Amino acid sequence: MAQDETQGGEKTGAKPSAPAAQRLSRIARNVRATVQLAWAAAPRQIVGVGAITVVYGLIGPATLWFTKLTIDAIAAKPTQWSEPALLWPVLGLGAMAVVNKALGSFVDRLHDIFSDRVWMVAHKRFLLHVANADLALLDDPSWHDRLTRAKADVAWRPYNLTITLIHSLSSSITVVTLLSALYFLDPPLLLLGLLSVVPHTAMKLRVNKRFYELFWTTTRREREHDYLVDVATDARFAKDVRAFGLADHVVERAKRHSADRLEHKRRLYRDANRGDFLGSMASAVILVVAYLLIARGATSGKLTVGDVAAIFGAFTALTGQLGALLQSVARVDEHASFLDDYFGFLAIEPTLRAPAHPIPLPPRLTSLQLERASFTYPGQSEPALTDVDLELRAGQIVALVGENGAGKSTLVKLLLRFFDPTTGTVRFDGSDTKE
């Protein structure tokens, strides 16, 4: 079974506070697994969304270029609106608007279908893994912690990570085009545009890591909270709650868990707001310097009116697209970190190994034997069965009698190979059930 870290003496799953290189490797692995999952779910939708994304990435820069040409043409004081220097840029602006509007509605519907397909495949894999899990795993609290985290991720993160990667492609195309335009018009603005988005993004990545650590460390308390809510509201527990006067205790304990999580989130968001403010202030200073450079170029006559308009538009669009691109990086980091729970859960191996070449069962069994079979449940120190010898012949009627906890159900579970004995052997017609 997959190795788990421990916390307070109990298995809780892989810790999020791994070294940077190991964390980046895990993120890359989860991104690759998510893309493979999405491709298996909807290859045509991915191709369609990708193609449209490339077009979207070029609309912004093309619109800016047509805007520059239009302003320069107007500044030249044309005598007729139909002069080619003015007419063609205006028609280009109209074409960009039509393409942008037409693609918008189509993309929304395509995303909706894509989301459902990815969710269906991811959810099916999750359900199959849970349905086929060994009983030994079902008795392991750490397995349930990992199931809870994986269940929270499967509904939306695979789709969102895939879409974020596609949007990153669009932003990358736009950024490269705008950087080329800025370098051609005024090279220093290229560096300032890059620097303006770094502070805010660095803060976002830091918050992502802390938010996942909070989610990871509170999983078990969240499961207990959900259980307490069930006890307080489910009719199955109503008699016991009232008979033993447990209502106040159950409600107060659930309330403490909620209050504790709320306090952790409040502190986290307070620090995030402080970081966002400082990052935004640093970005604003860089933007002011950039705008002063643009103003100096305009007053010195180095730039035309169209150049100034294009630079302002390009620089504003660049900072926006760079911000979107780095935000996408932050979201990829977030989704891939959380999806480590989903893919890690699917990677948990069964405790019962099927033989490579199993011995076929005979058409009719003649005997079942337990030979010095002992068994201890996972996480327990006392054995449920110790050195049991038993032989059952075909046609016999045998009753298993004993007090609660004597091992009757455990013995049947060994015969059905829900578990393998800790020591000893279970045989069908002389063949070990492991074979």
Side-chain angles (χ1 to χ4, degrees):
M1 189 170 68
Q3 294 296 315
D4 293 326
E5 300 291 341
T6 61
Q7 181 181 9
E10 296 184 77
K11 292 181 179 180
T12 55
K15 286 188 176 181
S17 54
Q22 181 180 340
R23 184 166 178 266
L24 288 174
S25 175
R26 187 171 66 236
I27 288 173
R29 183 178 66 247
N30 292 335
V31 167
R32 183 171 61 254
T34 301
V35 172
Q36 291 172 347
L37 184 152
W39 181 262
R44 288 189 299 177
Q45 279 76 19
I46 287 184
V47 171
V49 171
I52 292 172
T53 297
V54 171
V55 175
Y56 260 132
L58 296 173
I59 288 177
T63 299
L64 281 174
W65 181 251
F66 285 130
T67 301
K68 167 191 158 37
L69 295 178
T70 301
I71 292 175
D72 280 341
I74 293 173
K77 299 180 179 181
T79 57
Q80 294 183 351
W81 65 268
S82 59
E83 290 184 13
L86 176 61
L87 178 60
W88 288 113
V90 171
L91 292 177
L93 285 174
M96 292 301 101
V98 170
V99 171
N100 188 59
K101 186 71 174 178
L103 289 179
S105 300
F106 179 72
V107 165
D108 288 341
R109 290 188 287 270
L110 189 61
H111 280 195
D112 189 43
I113 297 297
F114 181 51
S115 172
D116 285 349
R117 288 184 180 276
V118 173
W119 174 83
M120 287 170 61
V121 171
H123 200 242
K124 179 182 177 181
R125 293 182 183 181
F126 172 77
L127 292 178
L128 284 173
H129 190 75
V130 174
N132 291 298
D134 298 337
L135 289 186
L137 294 174
L138 298 178
D139 290 332
D140 185 354
S142 69
W143 184 85
H144 286 279
D145 288 343
R146 300 183 73 175
L147 181 147
T148 298
R149 290 194 292 267
K151 186 177 180 181
D153 298 332
V154 69
W156 60 285
R157 287 197 186 273
Y159 160 75
N160 273 271
L161 176 54
T162 308
I163 289 298
T164 299
L165 291 170
I166 293 174
H167 286 170
S168 298
L169 172 63
S170 175
S171 296
S172 298
I173 294 171
T174 304
V175 164
V176 170
T177 308
L178 291 174
L179 285 175
S180 301
L182 279 180
Y183 182 79
F184 175 76
L185 294 169
D186 199 345
L189 293 177
L190 187 152
L191 178 61
L192 291 174
L194 291 173
L195 291 176
S196 66
V197 296
V198 171
H200 181 75
T201 304
M203 293 295 179
K204 177 64 176 175
L205 291 173
R206 179 173 175 269
V207 170
N208 283 350
K209 183 173 181 292
R210 290 186 59 191
F211 188 75
Y212 179 61
E213 288 174 351
L214 171 65
F215 176 73
W216 186 86
T217 55
T218 58
T219 300
R220 187 157 297 183
R221 280 177 293 175
E222 285 297 299
R223 285 206 299 115
E224 182 177 344
H225 174 270
D226 293 342
Y227 168 73
L228 291 169
V229 171
D230 285 341
V231 170
T233 59
D234 198 308
R236 294 174 299 167
F237 304 107
K239 294 179 181 178
D240 293 327
V241 169
R242 286 155 180 76
F244 295 99
L246 296 175
D248 291 340
H249 171 76
V250 169
V251 172
E252 284 302 315
R253 185 156 182 163
K255 182 180 177 181
R256 283 199 303 271
H257 284 316
S258 298
D260 181 64
R261 180 174 176 82
L262 179 61
E263 177 60 22
H264 279 86
K265 289 179 68 175
R266 188 189 67 80
R267 290 200 297 264
L268 175 59
Y269 289 157
R270 180 193 62 199
D271 293 344
N273 290 336
R274 184 185 301 118
D276 284 344
F277 176 76
L278 294 175
S280 299
M281 289 296 294
S283 297
V285 171
I286 296 173
L287 288 174
V288 168
V289 173
Y291 292 148
L292 288 174
L293 288 177
I294 296 172
R296 187 184 67 176
T299 55
S300 66
K302 178 182 175 182
L303 302 173
T304 67
V305 176
D307 289 339
V308 172
I311 289 175
F312 266 113
F315 193 81
T316 303
L318 176 63
T319 54
Q321 287 296 326
L322 274 174
L325 179 59
L326 293 180
Q327 285 290 330
S328 294
V329 171
R331 284 194 292 270
V332 167
D333 172 76
E334 174 191 338
H335 292 316
S337 296
F338 276 79
L339 281 170
D340 193 55
D341 294 313
Y342 173 72
F343 290 114
F345 179 75
L346 295 185
I348 296 176
E349 298 180 358
T351 58
L352 297 177
R353 296 288 185 178
H357 304 287
I359 299 173
L361 286 173
R364 185 175 182 272
L365 290 175
T366 59
S367 67
L368 307 176
Q369 302 96 20
L370 277 77
E371 298 176 356
R372 299 186 63 81
S374 300
F375 179 74
T376 303
Y377 282 99
Q380 302 297 318
S381 57
E382 295 296 325
L385 294 175
T386 304
D387 292 337
V388 175
D389 288 304
L390 176 66
E391 182 174 4
L392 304 176
R393 292 284 181 180
Q396 286 183 314
I397 297 176
V398 178
L400 298 176
V401 181
E403 298 178 350
N404 287 339
K408 304 181 296 298
S409 298
T410 302
L411 188 148
V412 175
K413 290 176 183 177
L414 293 182
L415 290 175
L416 293 172
R417 211 195 170 205
F418 288 164
F419 298 96
D420 283 332
T422 308
T423 60
T425 308
V426 180
R427 299 184 184 277
F428 287 5
D429 279 355
S431 297
D432 192 331
T433 54
K434 295 178 183 179
E435 301 174 353

